Amino acid sequence: HQSDIKGCSLIRPLLAEGSAVGLAKVLTTVDLVSLGVGSCVGTGMYVVAGLVAKAMAGPGVILSFIIAAVASILSGVCYAEFGVRVPKTTGSAYTYSYVTVGEFVAFFIGWNLILEYLIGTAAGASALSNMFDSLANHSISNYMITHLEIPDLDTYPDLLALFIALLVTVIIALGVRNTVGFNNVLNMVNLVVWVFIIIAGLFFVSVNNWEGGRFMPYGWSGVMQGAATCFYAFIGFDIIATTGEEAKNPNTSIPYAITASLVTCLTAYVSVSVILTLMVPYNLIDGSAPLMEMFAVHGFLWGKYTVAVGSIAGLTVSLLGSLFPMPRVIYAMARDGLLFRFLSHVTALTHTPTVACVVSGSLAAVLALLVSLRDLIEMMSIGTLLAYTLVSVCVLLLRYQPDDQTDTHQFDSEHQDMDCLKHEDAKDNQILTDNDESSSYHAGRTEGEGDDSDFHAGHASLLKRLLGGHYYTLRLRLGMPDASARPTPATGRIVTRCTLLLFFVSFLLWSTIIFGVEQGTGVGAVFSGLMATMMAGSLAKLLIMIIQQPESTRSLPYMAPCVPFVPAAAILVNSYLMLKLSPLTWARFTIWCLIEVAKIYLKNKIIYI
């Protein structure tokens, strides 16, 4: 691991050029919940629910959302622990990866997060443009097709989407306090409309729409396919993790906000899906504006236009949710020297990375102008899934490393900022993560840490309650270490190897099941089934080997439960969803990664010269 640490340490400066002004610490837990809920609920409630119900799962979309929520919570709890391990930082999974597994992996993740936010912002602007166009009886699109259509493109240039993206960019650049205030107002509108949908919809429901095998018309296969799509309605919680430097108390706010936003989103999705599928037969649901048209079907036009107001508010908040974290990831990468340094400039007036906001918002606006919503939706969130997987891998690794190593990897922004103000000119490119430095990361114990015996006793008591008299028998048979055991570099290396093997074998397992068992026939399917069974056994053996190693005694204000099972489950679920993505997504991902590799090569070449 020494080489990884050294590789990581060569880049992070105390404070990048132009960034002597820090981000404003103004966000409360309620603000973070509002950001997380708003970034999820818009497209999830007004677009995804009807799409999945009509084309994939029928009323079984309710089960799809529940399954997707469970998958999201697995990644969410790992995100929450990482947010506590690396507090007061910005950049989400990028920063978490940077200070734990090294620069190369962090750049890989940050690069793909930027692409995902870029696509999400452009798609949100296009969706809002389509919503306004629908309310105007398609007069906007007809005008642009007539006067602005470009022969070489399959679609017309969407000037309205361009204007929407630029407008939201200005709102983001004006300051986080203004952004969150605007976000909270729109969320209140969305909340009122949600309550209206539930209450008004009760007058038009019919249980006949669920009877006669109509609840799961496509079977469990459709429900699982719908769950894979519904997963993307929950990915907005990572916006919370990007606000570590702007949260007043990130140690408690981040984990609470992630949990609260996921639960709130699940409640909204399930309730709306119940009303939608009870009001309209699943095969008659409108694919483009399902919640608006479900009232129009029953002749309740006033309800349709009320929902239209909520749709505009919800999609606007989702657009904010995509654009808000993107400049902060760019800011973090530029501050570390992985992108152009001028992108890390923070404006003294607004305390926001204004240059990064303008650049990222302008790129998203151009993308929204030239690419249709359909093509944007096809570019699914493979980079986001990869980021979630890496966070789960890192949590699993850090739990079993010696305490002195895990402490060395905890980045302390307060020490960083204080040192920088004293030695800004002399130490602009100071190396931080040498093992012999005690001030650069959280050395020693941190706030919230308890007594070792209490920590182990808490876990033991939980297992005792669950297993009863079988607890000690299970410990003996699995070879689990006792509470006094402490991790060593040797046991840490064992866990590292097992975790990496778990990551790769999970992809092989799902590839065999998806392409061999499900799509195969005859002898080939049987052989694939045997291979999948052997790989499943290998995964179980790897987990047992991890359990047999002593866990770190270091306690945190929030810790992911049931390690290593929860991170391992997150890795399995995310790898499955990645393999369910379209070939177009993988092609785009490959091209984006080749650009990334070329940038790293050129950077190393310049440094060498």
Side-chain angles (χ1 to χ4, degrees):
H1 299 299
Q2 192 73 13
S3 61
D4 291 342
I5 296 173
K6 293 296 183 184
C8 172
S9 65
L10 292 176
I11 294 297
R12 181 180 286 278
L14 280 178
L15 208 59
E17 294 177 17
S19 61
V21 178
L23 301 179
K25 299 180 182 297
V26 296
L27 299 181
T28 65
T29 303
V30 175
D31 292 331
L32 295 182
V33 173
S34 179
L35 283 170
V37 171
S39 63
C40 294
V41 165
T43 53
M45 190 164 73
Y46 295 104
V47 179
V48 175
L51 174 67
V52 173
K54 181 180 178 66
M56 300 178 189
V61 65
I62 299 167
L63 301 177
S64 297
F65 272 122
I66 294 174
I67 295 170
V70 172
S72 301
I73 288 172
L74 292 175
S75 295
V77 294
C78 295
Y79 245 104
E81 176 173 326
F82 241 8
V84 171
R85 284 185 178 272
V86 195
K88 301 184 179 70
T89 57
T90 191
S92 185
Y94 160 73
T95 303
Y96 299 160
S97 305
Y98 192 105
V99 299
T100 54
V101 295
E103 174 187 309
F104 178 80
V105 175
F107 181 74
F108 185 81
I109 292 301
W111 191 247
N112 286 285
L113 282 176
I114 291 172
L115 180 62
E116 296 308 319
Y117 292 139
L118 189 67
I119 294 172
T121 301
S126 296
L128 267 174
S129 174
N130 287 352
M131 181 68 65
F132 286 120
D133 183 46
S134 177
L135 290 173
N137 294 321
H138 302 286
S139 60
I140 300 175
S141 59
N142 290 334
Y143 177 84
M144 287 189 284
I145 289 173
T146 303
H147 296 86
L148 301 174
E149 187 174 13
I150 301 175
D152 295 335
L153 294 179
D154 295 333
T155 183
Y156 61 88
D158 195 343
L159 291 177
L160 180 58
L162 172 72
F163 173 76
I164 292 171
L166 292 177
L167 177 63
V168 175
T169 299
V170 172
I171 294 173
I172 294 288
L174 285 177
V176 65
R177 183 72 263 173
N178 298 323
T179 301
V180 173
F182 183 61
N183 185 85
N184 290 343
V185 171
L186 294 179
N187 269 336
M188 287 303 300
V189 174
N190 205 15
L191 176 63
V192 171
V193 173
W194 171 49
V195 174
F196 169 81
I197 291 172
I198 303 304
I199 296 175
L202 290 175
F203 293 96
F204 303 100
V205 298
S206 173
V207 293
N208 293 331
N209 292 329
W210 284 12
E211 294 178 348
R214 296 180 183 177
F215 185 77
M216 294 172 56
Y218 302 100
W220 278 105
S221 175
V223 170
M224 297 306 295
Q225 183 184 2
T229 304
C230 289
F231 178 84
Y232 303 102
F234 290 95
I235 64 174
F237 69 79
D238 60 354
I239 185 179
I240 298 171
T242 69
T243 59
E245 287 189 34
E246 295 159 285
K248 291 181 178 179
N249 189 2
N251 276 356
T252 56
S253 295
I254 289 178
Y256 290 156
I258 287 176
T259 304
S261 64
L262 287 175
V263 172
T264 304
C265 291
L266 176 61
T267 304
Y269 295 152
V270 170
S271 59
V272 166
S273 298
V274 169
I275 295 297
L276 173 63
T277 54
L278 283 175
M279 284 183 62
V280 185
Y282 73 91
N283 57 325
L284 299 180
I285 293 174
D286 184 84
S288 59
L291 300 188
M292 290 172 57
E293 296 302 324
M294 74 178 182
F295 286 109
V297 168
H298 291 275
F300 187 29
L301 295 181
W302 184 71
K304 171 184 176 179
Y305 292 115
T306 302
V307 174
V309 174
S311 299
I312 294 171
L315 290 173
T316 302
V317 175
S318 292
L319 178 57
L320 285 171
S322 295
L323 186 55
F324 185 87
M326 179 162 55
R328 281 148 182 82
V329 175
I330 294 174
Y331 161 81
M333 295 181 69
R335 184 179 61 182
D336 297 331
L338 299 181
L339 292 177
F340 296 112
R341 193 61 60 88
F342 71 87
L343 294 172
S344 66
H345 175 74
V346 176
T347 304
L349 180 63
T350 62
H351 289 270
T352 57
T354 307
V355 177
C357 286
V358 173
V359 171
S360 59
S362 300
L363 289 175
V366 172
L367 195 60
L369 173 70
L370 300 176
V371 185
S372 67
L373 177 61
R374 182 196 63 192
D375 294 332
L376 289 171
I377 291 175
E378 288 178 355
M379 299 177 185
M380 303 301 283
S381 299
I382 189 172
T384 307
L385 280 169
L386 185 60
Y388 291 175
T389 305
L390 183 64
V391 168
S392 301
V393 167
C394 292
V395 167
L396 190 53
L397 290 176
L398 294 177
R399 280 290 193 94
Y400 291 91
Q401 300 303 318
D403 290 336
D404 56 343
Q405 289 191 18
T406 57
D407 287 342
T408 300
H409 285 72
Q410 303 308 307
F411 183 71
D412 190 339
S413 294
E414 289 181 342
H415 281 283
Q416 180 196 35
D417 292 347
M418 194 183 313
D419 248 4
C420 177
L421 293 176
K422 293 178 181 178
H423 311 288
E424 180 178 350
D425 296 330
K427 298 186 176 181
D428 198 31
N429 293 309
Q430 180 176 343
I431 295 174
L432 286 184
T433 53
D434 293 341
N435 286 341
D436 56 351
E437 291 181 14
S438 60
S439 62
S440 51
Y441 290 82
H442 289 308
R445 303 286 174 178
T446 61
E447 182 182 352
E449 191 168 59
D451 182 71
D452 295 345
S453 60
D454 292 340
F455 175 70
H456 284 282
H459 282 270
S461 62
L462 176 61
L463 289 174
K464 286 177 183 177
R465 288 196 299 270
L466 294 174
L467 301 176
H470 301 286
Y471 170 71
Y472 292 103
T473 304
L474 181 64
R475 286 185 62 92
L476 184 62
R477 290 185 176 180
L478 292 179
M480 294 173 63
D482 55 42
S484 62
R486 298 291 183 269
T488 64
T491 61
R493 285 192 293 271
I494 292 175
V495 173
T496 300
R497 295 190 188 102
C498 290
T499 303
L500 294 177
L501 285 173
L502 180 72
F503 176 78
F504 289 113
V505 172
S506 65
F507 275 92
L508 291 175
L509 171 63
W510 291 124
S511 299
T512 304
I513 292 176
I514 293 172
F515 303 110
V517 178
E518 294 180 358
Q519 301 179 9
T521 57
V523 178
V526 174
F527 179 75
S528 298
L530 292 175
M531 292 293 295
T533 303
M534 293 175 60
M535 283 185 275
S538 299
L539 289 176
K541 185 176 180 180
L542 289 172
L543 278 176
I544 292 175
M545 291 181 65
I546 293 175
I547 292 173
Q548 290 173 343
Q549 311 309 315
E551 188 176 344
S552 171
T553 59
R554 187 168 185 265
S555 182
L556 296 167
Y558 178 86
M559 304 185 74
C562 300
V563 174
F565 300 107
V566 166
I571 293 170
L572 283 169
V573 171
N574 293 342
S575 59
Y576 172 78
L577 293 174
M578 289 175 69
L579 290 171
K580 296 293 285 186
L581 297 176
S582 67
L584 176 63
T585 300
W586 282 95
R588 181 267 301 172
F589 182 68
T590 302
I591 294 173
W592 189 254
C593 291
L594 289 176
I595 297 174
E596 178 180 7
V597 171
K599 182 183 183 304
I600 294 176
Y601 173 79
L602 291 176
K603 172 193 166 187
N604 291 335
K605 194 79 172 177
I606 293 172
I607 292 176
Y608 176 77
I609 293 174

